[in-house]
Amino acid sequence: MLTYTIRRLLLAIPTLVLISLIIFLLLDLAPGDPLANQPLSIPPEVRQKMRDALGLDSPAYVRYLLWAKQFFWVEPLVFVDWVLGTSFSADMQRIVSWQFRSPVFDIIIQRLPQTLWVVGLAYLVGVLIALPIGIISAYKQYSWFDQVGTFISMIGFSVPPFFSGVLMIVLFAIMLPWFPSIYDTTLVVNDFESFGQQIRQMTLPVLVLALQTTAQLSRFMRASMLDNLNHDYVRTARAKGMTEKVVLLVHVLRNSMIPVVTVIALGIPSIFGGAIITEQIFKVNGLGQLLITAIYANDLPMVQTLAFIFAVLIVLCNLIADVLYGMLDPRIRYD
């Protein structure tokens, strides 16, 4: 297992380099000028100096190598300096946002807590709800619980977040003013009252995101459990006198989790992509809204960095899923 993990990590390096090159080239071919929104009163010589400072007149391969060096070398050194208090990255040029005129990773770190509060909690809630629903629906197939779960899952699959988010606002923020419709990113949680306000403003976006996660995972869990319940080892376990709880939660559940692990692992980066729409609806000042504003402002360094971070998450989550396969199923061995 350790050898396989190391081999996959080494294989991930050229994969990520190729992905970064594709992302850079695709965004580099996009039309637009990052200085188009600057005032027309700026003298031409000053505007040219700004273009030189941003490297806009350099060839594409020069700009890519500069960005790759900053991402893979300079920014890790900045993190090391922050942790150890050293100065390895002193006077090194970092990835700078064209829109905010500040380092990209500093802005991402500022926005990350808001995304983790909303998106991370929504995914956790969705997984914790979906797994029991899928297990019970499979064990009590065609019961009223299974019918209700199927109906809710169909709604979760069918209704997009831009509709369910607006519907939540209309129902629970306008008609029934129980929750705020706009997320206050300036709220500081330092007592029970502010903690309650944080919970209230997180409720609607968390429900919108958790609905999709619950609908998807519960159907996968139900299908996987139904497939394993009909196998011979289940009848053998029952014939040996094992209780239904042991058969269901020890034998069937462990084998059923193997395909579900892939969906859970790959859903971690995809939920960040789905949060782009939800963060726009509820005005959550997170990574999704940051990506949208960067696209509108033609902020290529910010868009490139965020897109590549999502790609890194996908590659790592694939590796995590493969490792979990071997832990859940002893028949799987990575030699």
Side-chain angles (χ1 to χ4, degrees):
M1 180 69 71
L2 180 60
T3 303
Y4 171 79
T5 304
I6 296 175
R7 188 167 63 247
R8 281 293 304 271
L9 286 174
L10 294 177
L11 181 62
I13 295 176
T15 303
L16 292 176
V17 171
L18 180 61
I19 292 174
S20 67
L21 179 60
I22 294 174
I23 292 174
F24 184 89
L25 293 178
L26 288 176
L27 294 176
D28 187 70
L29 295 175
D33 187 352
L35 300 181
N37 296 328
Q38 298 297 325
L40 298 177
S41 59
I42 297 179
E45 60 274 10
V46 177
R47 186 179 294 271
Q48 184 60 39
K49 290 182 179 180
M50 295 173 64
R51 296 185 64 86
D52 295 338
L54 295 175
L56 299 178
D57 294 331
S58 302
Y61 73 92
V62 174
R63 284 182 278 113
Y64 169 74
L65 292 176
L66 177 61
W67 176 81
K69 174 187 175 183
Q70 293 168 344
F71 190 96
F72 292 104
W73 179 251
V74 177
E75 296 299 337
L77 285 180
V78 173
F79 177 75
V80 171
D81 291 342
W82 178 75
V83 173
L84 303 179
T86 56
S87 58
F88 296 119
S89 62
D91 300 328
M92 289 186 178
Q93 183 179 354
R94 302 179 62 186
I95 304 176
V96 178
S97 169
W98 294 348
Q99 178 185 6
F100 298 98
R101 301 293 188 267
S102 60
V104 166
F105 275 89
D106 291 351
I107 303 171
I108 293 176
I109 291 175
Q110 293 174 4
R111 302 290 187 93
L112 186 60
Q114 304 298 336
T115 297
L116 292 180
W117 267 105
V118 177
V119 182
L121 182 61
Y123 195 69
L124 180 62
V125 170
V127 171
L128 293 179
I129 295 176
L131 296 183
I133 290 178
I135 294 171
I136 298 174
S137 296
Y139 186 70
K140 298 183 178 181
Q141 189 180 14
Y142 304 130
S143 64
W144 67 268
F145 186 91
D146 186 25
Q147 300 294 336
V148 172
T150 302
F151 176 73
I152 295 177
S153 298
M154 291 177 60
I155 294 178
F157 272 120
S158 305
V159 179
F162 64 81
F163 178 81
S164 59
V166 175
L167 182 63
M168 290 285 187
I169 292 176
V170 172
L171 291 178
F172 299 108
I174 297 177
M175 298 180 62
L176 300 172
W178 295 346
F179 306 102
S181 61
I182 297 178
Y183 190 93
D184 183 13
T185 57
T186 62
L187 178 64
V188 178
V189 179
N190 50 17
D191 52 22
F192 285 105
E193 182 179 357
S194 58
F195 180 75
Q197 295 177 0
Q198 178 71 17
I199 295 297
R200 289 183 65 249
Q201 71 175 3
M202 288 171 53
T203 301
L204 294 184
V206 166
L207 287 178
V208 171
L209 292 172
L211 177 62
Q212 290 184 313
T213 304
T214 302
Q216 182 184 26
L217 288 180
S218 63
R219 293 298 90 188
F220 272 98
M221 191 74 242
R222 177 182 182 273
S224 183
M225 288 287 294
L226 286 175
D227 180 61
N228 282 277
L229 282 172
N230 296 322
H231 284 179
D232 292 337
Y233 73 87
V234 177
R235 288 190 290 269
T236 302
R238 289 170 175 167
K240 289 183 176 180
M242 295 183 181
T243 62
E244 284 294 307
K245 182 178 180 181
V246 173
V247 173
L248 189 66
L249 298 181
V250 176
H251 297 281
V252 179
L253 179 60
R254 181 170 181 174
N255 292 327
S256 301
M257 283 297 296
I258 296 175
V260 179
V261 162
T262 303
V263 182
I264 295 177
L266 296 182
I268 295 175
S270 65
I271 195 70
F272 283 89
I276 294 176
I277 299 175
T278 307
E279 288 184 358
Q280 284 291 103
I281 294 175
F282 294 97
K283 305 302 179 184
V284 180
N285 199 19
L287 296 182
Q289 190 183 60
L290 179 62
L291 180 60
I292 293 295
T293 56
I295 293 174
Y296 286 154
N298 199 27
D299 188 357
L300 294 186
M302 180 67 73
V303 178
Q304 290 165 356
T305 304
L306 287 174
F308 186 63
I309 289 175
F310 293 155
V312 172
L313 287 175
I314 293 175
V315 173
L316 289 179
C317 289
N318 268 286
L319 175 60
I320 293 173
D322 289 342
V323 173
L324 290 177
Y325 283 166
M327 297 175 61
L328 291 173
D329 191 347
R331 296 171 298 177
I332 300 176
R333 288 292 180 264
Y334 301 113
D335 297 325

